[in-house]
Structure formats: C-alpha cells, structure tokens
C-alpha cells in the first residue's frame, strides 16, 4: 500500500447537525471528506465501492475560532458567523498502490473542509503495516462496534453529487477519536483487538474494506 501525507494550514469539518449560527468543527474528518479528497485527486466522483481499502490518521496542532461572512438564503445582507478552525494539520491516507498516480498530480484542489482549507501533498511512500494487538487508535473515526469510548455521532459516509444540493447516500454512527496526546486519551483509545500498525507514527490504522454500505 501507499501512504499519502497531506499538510494544510487550516481545516474545518462541520458537524452535520449544525445548520446555522456557531459552527464547531469535528476533531477529525468524516469519511465523506476522504471521499471528496479521492474524487478531487482522480478528477471524478469516486465511490468507496471502487476502493478496496482505505484508512486515515489526522493530526492537528490546535484549534481556534474564525469570523466568517456568509450570505444566508433569502437575506440580501451578509451575516458574520463564528467558525472553529483546526491549525497546522497533517492527514495520512493509506491506499492501494494505484492511487499514487492520482496524488502525484491531483486533478483538482485538495481540500480539508472549506474551499480555503487547501491541502498539499508532502510525501507519498510505499509502506507496510504490521498487524499488532492492543494498539493505540486515533485521528480517525471507528465503528461503534469497535467498543472504544468516545463521542458518537451520525456521519455521512458518501454523498450523491448528482443532485443540487448534494445528498448523503447513507449515514452511520461512528465513534470519533482525536489523535491521542494525553495519558488519559492513550489509555482510553487502546484497541484490544488486532489492527495494522504504523510504527513511524506510533498509531494503529483503522482500515475500511469494501466500505460502501457495509460500515
């Protein structure tokens, strides 16, 4: 497999249930953001049914609040909204080898949230992940069935872009696991089963296989 390392100054992953007012950000991207990145890199809408496996780890150095001017539907004047923003971000994508050519020369801009959250490819390398037991997990989302404690949220997996506005094809509950930095997080986010392990980063990689409709 390959590991694609993306960097961005900012990122923002909106809670789907917040439609107006203060806009918090999820600490890690949902799978629909990964679908967007794959589609932008390839230059066409990608379904997870086309991707044999995918995993990711997201690391952010901090979070702040930005002021954003928006146009609300039906209102001629603009509003100012507070939006949480993640700073100095790194996203590792674990993908089949054939995806290297798309990330070597992405067809469209790679975004981690809004159109201003531009990401760049810093590194693509071949990597082999060893399988280990009792590994630390974080910087990702995992199925609730994994049994790891964390915030549970219903998140879109894939969007249907054939309609305007886009619609979620299906939504599933996931446990959201920030990248563990404290002793408490490391204790809580240790998975008792067997997972692929990235020894360079020191984290287990939750890998989704045959994802569409099966999470």
């Amino acid at each position: 497999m390959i590991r694609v390392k993306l960097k961005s100054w900012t990122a923002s992953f909106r809670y789907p249930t917040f439609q107006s007012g203060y806009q918090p950000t999820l600490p890690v991207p949902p799978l629909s953001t990964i679908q967007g990145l794959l589609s932008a890199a390839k230059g066409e809408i990608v379904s997870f049914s086309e991707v044999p496996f995918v995993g990711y780890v997201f690391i952010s150095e901090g979070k702040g609040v930005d002021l954003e001017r928006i146009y609300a539907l039906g209102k001629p004047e603009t509003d100012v909204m507070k939006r949480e923003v993640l700073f100095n971000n790194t996203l590792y994508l674990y993908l089949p080898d054939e995806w290297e050519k798309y990330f070597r020369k992405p067809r469209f801009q790679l975004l981690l949230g809004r159109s201003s959250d531009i990401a760049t490819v810093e590194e693509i390398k071949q990597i082999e992940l060893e399988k280990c037991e009792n590994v630390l997990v974080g910087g990702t989302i995992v199925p609730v069935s994994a049994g790891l404690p964390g915030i549970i949220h219903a998140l879109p997996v894939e969007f249907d872009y054939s309609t305007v506005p886009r619609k979620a094809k299906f939504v599933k509950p996931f446990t959201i696991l920030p990248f563990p930095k404290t002793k408490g997080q490391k204790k809580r986010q240790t998975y008792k089963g067997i997972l692929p392990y990235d020894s360079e980063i020191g984290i287990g990689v939750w890998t989704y296989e045959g994802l569409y409709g099966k999470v």
Side-chain angles (χ1 to χ4, degrees):
M1 74 172 65
I2 60 167
R3 187 183 68 191
V4 181
K5 181 181 182 181
L6 300 171
K7 298 283 290 186
S8 79
W9 286 349
T10 62
S12 179
F13 310 116
R14 187 172 64 87
Y15 274 82
T17 51
F18 280 74
Q19 298 297 326
S20 61
Y22 188 81
Q23 291 289 320
T25 178
L26 296 168
V28 299
L31 282 164
S32 56
T33 297
I34 306 303
Q35 182 202 10
L37 286 170
L38 299 180
S39 300
K42 190 173 182 179
E44 60 186 59
I45 301 300
V46 173
S47 169
F48 282 123
S49 62
E50 307 168 33
V51 185
F53 66 87
V54 62
Y56 65 95
V57 174
F58 178 82
I59 306 170
S60 175
E61 293 185 8
K63 183 171 68 174
V65 177
D66 192 15
L67 296 178
E68 186 176 70
R69 177 170 289 181
I70 64 168
Y71 286 92
L73 288 175
K75 295 178 66 175
E77 70 275 14
T78 59
D79 287 335
V80 175
M81 183 181 66
K82 292 182 178 179
R83 180 189 292 274
E84 289 184 345
V85 179
L86 301 164
F87 293 106
N88 292 335
N89 311 293
T90 304
L91 175 66
Y92 295 97
L93 292 174
Y94 301 84
L95 292 162
D97 293 350
E98 56 265 31
W99 279 88
E100 178 172 356
K101 59 180 180 290
Y102 301 124
F103 280 95
R104 288 284 179 200
K105 194 174 182 180
R107 181 69 175 82
F108 298 113
Q109 295 94 337
L110 304 176
L111 304 175
L112 293 181
R114 303 166 298 172
S115 59
S116 57
D117 299 322
I118 296 174
T120 56
V121 178
E122 186 171 284
E123 180 187 64
I124 301 175
K125 67 181 296 185
Q126 292 282 334
I127 190 169
E128 290 189 14
L129 303 180
E130 56 179 322
K131 290 193 174 181
C132 298
E133 194 173 6
N134 294 323
V135 293
L136 200 57
V137 185
T140 190
I141 61 174
V142 300
V144 176
S145 58
L148 289 166
I151 297 173
I152 296 174
H153 208 293
L155 298 172
V157 176
E158 279 195 12
F159 277 106
D160 178 1
Y161 290 92
S162 65
T163 61
V164 179
R166 65 183 183 179
K167 293 181 179 178
K169 281 185 178 178
F170 69 101
V171 176
K172 292 286 185 179
F174 293 93
T175 303
I176 299 170
L177 299 177
F179 191 84
K181 298 177 180 177
T182 67
K183 287 185 178 179
Q185 285 178 313
K186 292 177 180 178
K187 184 177 181 180
R188 289 193 300 272
Q189 294 180 200
T190 297
Y191 181 64
K192 305 301 181 186
I194 297 174
L195 277 184
Y197 180 73
D198 189 335
S199 58
E200 294 184 15
I201 307 173
I203 197 79
V205 180
W206 196 277
T207 305
Y208 292 96
E209 299 181 3
L211 182 61
Y212 183 77
K214 297 180 180 178
V215 176

